[in-house]
Amino acid sequence: VDLGRLLADTVDQFRLADEGHPITLRLDERVPVLRADPDRLTQVVTNLLGNAIKYSPSGGAIELQTRLEKGVVLLTISDHGSGIPAEQLEKIFDRYVRVESAATHAVQGTGLGLSIVRQIVQRHAGRVWATSVAGNGSTFHVELPLPDPAGAVSVP
Ligand SMILES: Nc1ncnc2c1ncn2[C@@H]1O[C@H](COP(=O)(O)OP(=O)(O)OP(=O)(O)O)[C@@H](O)[C@H]1O
Ligand SMILES: [Mg+2]
């Protein structure tokens, strides 16, 4: 999977449907082609971008960024929405867990999106977690492993 291409295509779909949230995409050109399921990764990005928009009801910029790090690629999706209380940052990845707050009580959802995200990322041998600064939005971090170099032979 060409992650940059996948992100650009997915962001284009959201831009067509939603003009209230300027979306910026910053791609690290060094990120190699990944060994991954493109449909599942698209679902990960769709669920996270959908949340970023839905939990920023008064608008605000959304930023997606990729970065090549040692042995992994890191994707972050940041919004300037309601934010997530620190004590809920882990729980929101469980099925049917939704945060009750004045800022988001009108937002509809089943509480399944993030559990699906976590399952897909784990099946790609990756990790996903969230950070949030109270009152200043949330960032979701997805770390995916790089493919083994083709035909590499490990020399002891
Ligand atoms: N970007 C975000 N900003 C603030 N809160 C968020 C964000 N993403 C998720 N949450 C919180 O985590 C909860 C779980 O998210 P999840 O995507 O699993 O479910 P949902 O959006 O409620 O419903 P579904 O995705 O199934 O339609 C949300 O209900 C919301 O409280
Ligand atoms: Mg959701």
Side-chain angles (χ1 to χ4, degrees):
V1 172
D2 177 341
L3 182 63
R5 177 84 174 270
L6 184 152
L7 290 169
D9 289 346
T10 309
V11 164
D12 278 346
Q13 297 298 316
F14 276 87
R15 283 184 181 137
L16 289 175
D18 177 296
E19 296 184 341
H21 298 82
I23 305 174
T24 58
L25 180 55
R26 289 202 288 158
L27 298 175
D28 185 337
E29 299 296 339
R30 301 169 304 164
V31 173
V33 170
L34 302 178
R35 181 179 287 275
D37 180 328
D39 294 339
R40 303 280 184 196
L41 275 197
T42 300
Q43 192 175 7
V44 165
V45 178
T46 300
N47 287 6
L48 293 177
L49 203 43
N51 280 348
I53 289 171
K54 171 159 107 151
Y55 298 105
S56 309
S58 43
I62 292 167
E63 181 171 275
L64 289 83
Q65 189 175 348
T66 61
R67 206 165 66 236
L68 184 65
E69 297 198 336
K70 204 162 181 262
V72 297
V73 52
L74 189 62
L75 163 66
T76 55
I77 299 182
S78 303
D79 64 58
H80 292 89
S82 61
I84 300 160
E87 66 275 13
Q88 305 269 24
L89 286 171
E90 288 285 338
K91 284 188 207 143
I92 52 172
F93 291 94
D94 291 345
R95 273 183 208 173
Y96 305 116
V97 170
R98 306 197 70 227
V99 180
E100 291 300 329
S101 79
T104 61
H105 80 275
V107 181
Q108 306 280 316
T110 58
L112 284 173
L114 288 178
S115 68
I116 293 165
V117 164
R118 184 173 62 181
Q119 199 168 56
I120 294 171
V121 171
Q122 286 180 346
R123 287 193 186 172
H124 282 80
R127 298 192 302 143
V128 57
W129 67 99
T131 54
S132 180
V133 176
N136 193 25
S138 311
T139 299
F140 284 79
H141 311 256
V142 177
E143 194 181 83
L144 295 169
L146 296 179
D148 289 332
V153 177
S154 61
V155 179

